[in-house]
Amino acid sequence: MLERIGFIGLGIMGKPMARNLLKAGYSVTVYNRSRPAVDELVEEGAAAAESPQEIAKNSEVVITMLPDGPDVEEAVLGLDGLLAGANRWLLIIDMSTISPGAAKRLAEAARERGVGMLDAPVSGGDKGAIAGTLSIMVGGNEDDFKRAMPIFEAVGKTITYCGSSGAGQTVKACNQVAVALHYAAASEALVLGAKAGVAPEVILKVLGGGLAQSRVMDMRGPAMSQHQFTPGFKARLHSKDLRIIMETAREYGATLPFAALADQLYTALVQNGGGELDHSALLTVIEKLSNGSIGDTQ
Amino acid sequence: MLERIGFIGLGIMGKPMARNLLKAGYSVTVYNRSRPAVDELVEEGAAAAESPQEIAKNSEVVITMLPDGPDVEEAVLGLDGLLAGANRWLLIIDMSTISPGAAKRLAEAARERGVGMLDAPVSGGDKGAIAGTLSIMVGGNEDDFKRAMPIFEAVGKTITYCGSSGAGQTVKACNQVAVALHYAAASEALVLGAKAGVAPEVILKVLGGGLAQSRVMDMRGPAMSQHQFTPGFKARLHSKDLRIIMETAREYGATLPFAALADQLYTALVQNGGGELDHSALLTVIEKLSNGSIGDTQ
């Protein structure tokens, strides 16, 4: 059984996840570029390391939870990276959201060193990370997946094996396509309704009772109606995910006109100062294009 | 209480609706451009009329269920139309899907003749029409709505008063925006997944369990995975609804880039021979653009 865990990346997601591993009784060594989060977890029982390389030497499994692809590449392949310090039995689990292509290439580089690597991106946001109820989408060797299952269960709830290396990231990309377009659907339905004089509550009630229902509308529709955009999941992160999605579409030859439009309009949202708002703030882009507010009917 | 009902338009939706009114004990007089459906309902107890004008003379309320705006205009405003034969107490209920602007103008023309008119488009398809479980979205005078409630209850289940004249059609338009974009979301997620090597079942399972869930994906996702596109609701009718949506957006000054793209790609679906397929066949347009099939991973 895997007991000594290294954890790299103590951000808004990583810190509560590392904490849940400590609570589950694992021995956890942490590394983070800025120090305060490290000190916090050391007080709660973690050990601190000075580099990914040092983490690799002292761990059976290392989890990375980093902002973007290049960060993961540096943590794995860098001069003082994980592979520089890895024993042959090391298992790397990247839980960041990066492109499926990058995930495949990293897993291949690890395999050449005899090191296993899973891609295991999550959904459920910081609330899910704190509560230990994340959804986890896993790609890679199925035996590695089974070995890692108790670790996944300490930080998540719905854990799905999706296929070979990259498949976890692919499913995460598909998830983010759907969520972005569901926000587009809710936004355009609310703006069209308001422009023609129908209040958001009526739209949400009728659409939610039929074929037009979506969880996005159920969960975020009422807040959207009130222009409450406290994250949740930040628009700038969904914009980053859409960049990954469009790169992946190009790499694998998928033509995604709706996702491409979402990519453009999430860029507009970020450019207009909405990057720190919840991703449901896509509504404000449609409102701005229409020079109106759905509040006008209330 | 309203007891003598006229019914104009005995198509795939209108015929079972008129039948449900007969079953509920109403006296029903029917009119339809082609004769076989009239004969069928006469055998079941309906009376037949030779024109909308004649229907208006013999009815307290007249329901229209016609393919498009111009059909409703002719039935209401034509030389032998409803207003030509209407008594002052007549109530017209248009249950067709037409533009909110046209619905407002027709209600105003009726009001000038002392005739009440509700717009009451439905969702739920021919199955809902047969079972009497349609969702009905109603715009117009609220007292007229209350008077008509027993009639709505004979043909539908979820009945919502949406606001003044046109509001029912507006909510229907919003509903069709959302449904079209949810099919776009499901289609692009499935195509991206398949191109990157992940089977549709895995995508549907993971997305359906989280924020990316939609009723469209729950109800139609498995059939889409198998390329089963038996309608359901025909793509050419959703294409017509998107034309109405874009006209309405222009009339009221709403800018809807995602709906505009859906309008274009539903046009492509119809042009490529898919008009008689279920509207979930939007998938085939994304597949064609990507020169692939989501069946390739199975």
Side-chain angles (χ1 to χ4, degrees):
Chain A
M1 196 189 136
L2 302 165
E3 288 184 350
R4 286 177 300 125
I5 301 181
F7 203 105
I8 299 175
L10 301 174
I12 193 169
M13 297 293 291
K15 194 166 71 176
M17 290 167 71
R19 187 172 280 142
N20 282 330
L21 290 168
L22 281 170
K23 283 184 193 159
Y26 288 100
S27 159
V28 182
T29 306
V30 298
Y31 172 77
N32 195 48
R33 268 176 290 196
S34 76
R35 190 71 203 186
V38 173
D39 293 340
E40 205 177 320
L41 281 169
V42 167
E43 269 189 31
E44 298 173 27
E50 294 303 317
S51 70
Q53 183 178 24
E54 185 189 334
I55 289 241
K57 283 184 187 155
N58 298 311
S59 307
E60 293 160 298
V61 58
V62 179
I63 294 171
T64 49
M65 190 63 182
L66 294 162
D68 208 347
D71 308 297
V72 180
E73 278 171 35
E74 198 191 324
V76 175
L77 305 176
L79 277 181
D80 60 353
L82 291 171
L83 292 185
N87 296 299
R88 283 197 160 265
W89 57 78
L90 183 67
L91 175 63
I92 303 171
I93 306 176
D94 179 36
M95 302 188 78
S96 323
T97 294
I98 68 172
S99 78
K104 272 190 189 181
R105 288 186 286 276
L106 283 169
E108 184 53 36
R111 192 156 34 235
E112 283 170 8
R113 291 288 306 271
V115 170
M117 183 164 182
L118 298 171
D119 52 295
V122 305
S123 67
D126 54 335
K127 280 182 194 164
I130 292 165
T133 57
L134 294 167
S135 288
I136 310 175
M137 296 147 262
V138 188
N141 179 289
E142 197 163 1
D143 288 334
D144 287 340
F145 168 71
K146 286 174 186 161
R147 281 203 299 151
M149 188 54 113
I151 294 171
F152 289 138
E153 287 170 343
V155 297
K157 197 170 145 194
T158 312
I159 299 140
T160 311
Y161 179 72
C162 300
S164 59
S165 284
Q169 296 292 355
T170 294
V171 175
K172 174 73 190 278
C174 295
N175 190 79
Q176 296 303 78
V177 166
V179 171
L181 294 178
H182 292 174
Y183 278 123
S187 299
E188 294 201 350
L190 290 170
V191 168
L192 176 63
K195 280 276 178 173
V198 178
E201 309 86 70
V202 176
I203 310 282
L204 292 174
K205 184 186 161 212
V206 176
L207 272 56
L211 187 60
Q213 177 273 347
S214 73
R215 193 156 295 151
V216 149
M217 225 180 282
D218 293 344
M219 305 268 287
R220 276 281 168 181
M224 289 169 78
S225 299
Q226 305 296 322
H227 287 114
Q228 289 171 358
F229 300 120
T230 313
F233 185 73
K234 289 180 180 176
R236 68 174 167 81
L237 297 175
H238 212 131
S239 182
K240 173 210 132 187
D241 290 353
L242 283 159
R243 172 178 55 73
I244 289 173
I245 286 158
M246 296 321 296
E247 285 170 7
T248 304
R250 185 171 285 271
E251 182 168 356
Y252 291 98
T255 307
L256 309 179
F258 291 94
L261 181 56
D263 180 39
Q264 286 290 296
L265 295 192
Y266 269 102
T267 300
L269 177 56
V270 173
Q271 286 303 310
N272 280 274
E276 300 300 315
L277 300 179
D278 186 69
H279 49 165
S280 57
L282 182 63
L283 171 67
T284 62
V285 177
I286 305 298
E287 288 183 317
K288 195 162 192 169
L289 289 170
S290 301
N291 191 28
S293 162
I294 62 169
D296 293 347
T297 61
Q298 291 176 310
Chain B
M1 197 190 139
L2 302 165
E3 288 184 350
R4 286 176 299 129
I5 302 180
F7 204 105
I8 299 175
L10 300 174
I12 192 170
M13 297 293 290
K15 193 166 72 176
M17 291 166 72
R19 187 172 280 143
N20 282 330
L21 291 168
L22 281 170
K23 283 186 193 157
Y26 288 101
S27 160
V28 181
T29 305
V30 299
Y31 173 77
N32 195 48
R33 268 175 290 197
S34 75
R35 189 74 204 185
V38 173
D39 293 341
E40 204 178 319
L41 282 170
V42 167
E43 270 189 29
E44 298 174 27
E50 293 304 316
S51 70
Q53 185 178 21
E54 185 189 334
I55 289 241
K57 284 184 185 156
N58 298 310
S59 306
E60 294 160 298
V61 57
V62 178
I63 295 171
T64 49
M65 191 63 182
L66 293 163
D68 207 347
D71 308 297
V72 180
E73 278 172 34
E74 198 191 323
V76 175
L77 305 176
L79 277 181
D80 61 352
L82 290 171
L83 292 186
N87 295 299
R88 281 195 165 269
W89 57 79
L90 183 67
L91 176 62
I92 303 172
I93 306 175
D94 179 35
M95 303 188 77
S96 323
T97 294
I98 69 172
S99 78
K104 273 191 187 180
R105 288 185 288 275
L106 283 170
E108 184 53 35
R111 191 156 35 234
E112 283 171 9
R113 290 286 307 270
V115 170
M117 183 161 181
L118 297 171
D119 52 293
V122 305
S123 68
D126 55 333
K127 279 183 194 162
I130 291 166
T133 57
L134 294 167
S135 289
I136 309 177
M137 296 146 261
V138 189
N141 179 288
E142 197 163 1
D143 288 333
D144 287 341
F145 168 70
K146 285 175 186 159
R147 282 203 299 151
M149 189 52 115
I151 294 171
F152 289 139
E153 287 172 341
V155 297
K157 197 170 144 193
T158 310
I159 299 141
T160 311
Y161 179 71
C162 300
S164 60
S165 284
Q169 296 293 354
T170 294
V171 175
K172 175 72 190 277
C174 296
N175 189 80
Q176 297 302 79
V177 166
V179 171
L181 293 178
H182 293 174
Y183 278 123
S187 298
E188 293 201 349
L190 290 171
V191 168
L192 176 63
K195 280 277 178 172
V198 177
E201 308 85 72
V202 176
I203 310 282
L204 292 175
K205 185 185 161 212
V206 176
L207 272 56
L211 187 60
Q213 177 273 347
S214 73
R215 192 155 297 150
V216 149
M217 224 180 281
D218 293 345
M219 306 268 287
R220 277 281 167 180
M224 289 168 78
S225 299
Q226 304 297 320
H227 287 111
Q228 288 170 0
F229 299 120
T230 313
F233 185 73
K234 288 180 180 176
R236 68 173 167 81
L237 296 176
H238 213 131
S239 182
K240 174 211 131 187
D241 290 352
L242 284 159
R243 171 178 56 73
I244 288 173
I245 286 158
M246 296 320 296
E247 285 170 8
T248 304
R250 184 172 285 270
E251 182 169 354
Y252 292 98
T255 308
L256 309 180
F258 291 94
L261 181 56
D263 180 39
Q264 286 290 297
L265 295 192
Y266 269 101
T267 300
L269 176 56
V270 173
Q271 285 303 309
N272 280 273
E276 301 299 316
L277 300 178
D278 186 69
H279 48 165
S280 56
L282 182 62
L283 171 68
T284 62
V285 177
I286 305 299
E287 288 182 317
K288 196 161 190 169
L289 288 170
S290 301
N291 191 28
S293 162
I294 62 168
D296 293 349
T297 59
Q298 294 176 306

